[in-house]
Amino acid sequence: MNKKKFITAVLIWFLGLPLGIALSYGLRVVGDFHSLGMPELVWFTMHISLYIVSVVAIYISLQGVTLMNKLLTMVTMSLIYAITYFGVTWFYIIESNVDSM
């Protein structure tokens, strides 16, 4: 296992997600009162791309690890990513009044 590549792969997600949300928030603030920020297609494409790049980089960093450990790591990281994604985006949506849940 290459720890530097693994850390880089995890940072792609944990830094890329908040930066993308900050970009959307910036677009929302700079726009007029009815500005919706980033279009949904761009929003979801960016997040899916971040996830794919990060997961592929994690897989690459796990060379030399048994298949079972790779699978366990990939499932665990995907679960952590999902929890982070829902938590951060839900916080953004509620706090910026995108939706009044």
Side-chain angles (χ1 to χ4, degrees):
M1 179 174 148
N2 188 332
K3 289 183 182 182
K4 287 183 180 180
K5 285 184 179 181
F6 183 82
I7 291 170
T8 302
V10 171
L11 285 176
I12 289 170
W13 177 256
F14 284 106
L15 293 177
L17 180 64
L19 287 174
I21 291 173
L23 176 64
S24 180
Y25 181 74
L27 292 172
R28 180 178 298 279
V29 170
V30 170
D32 63 358
F33 180 72
H34 299 289
S35 178
L36 297 176
M38 193 179 294
E40 284 187 13
L41 179 63
V42 176
W43 170 269
F44 289 113
T45 302
M46 177 182 58
H47 294 164
I48 291 169
S49 299
L50 280 171
Y51 173 76
I52 290 171
V53 168
S54 181
V55 167
V56 168
I58 286 174
Y59 183 81
I60 291 170
S61 76
L62 294 174
Q63 290 181 353
V65 177
T66 65
L67 180 61
M68 190 61 170
N69 285 342
K70 275 185 187 180
L71 183 61
L72 183 62
T73 302
M74 299 298 286
V75 168
T76 303
M77 291 309 295
S78 292
L79 181 62
I80 291 169
Y81 284 5
I83 292 168
T84 304
Y85 179 77
F86 289 121
V88 170
T89 54
W90 193 30
F91 177 77
Y92 166 66
I93 288 168
I94 298 300
E95 289 300 314
S96 65
N97 295 322
V98 173
D99 192 9
S100 57
M101 294 179 89

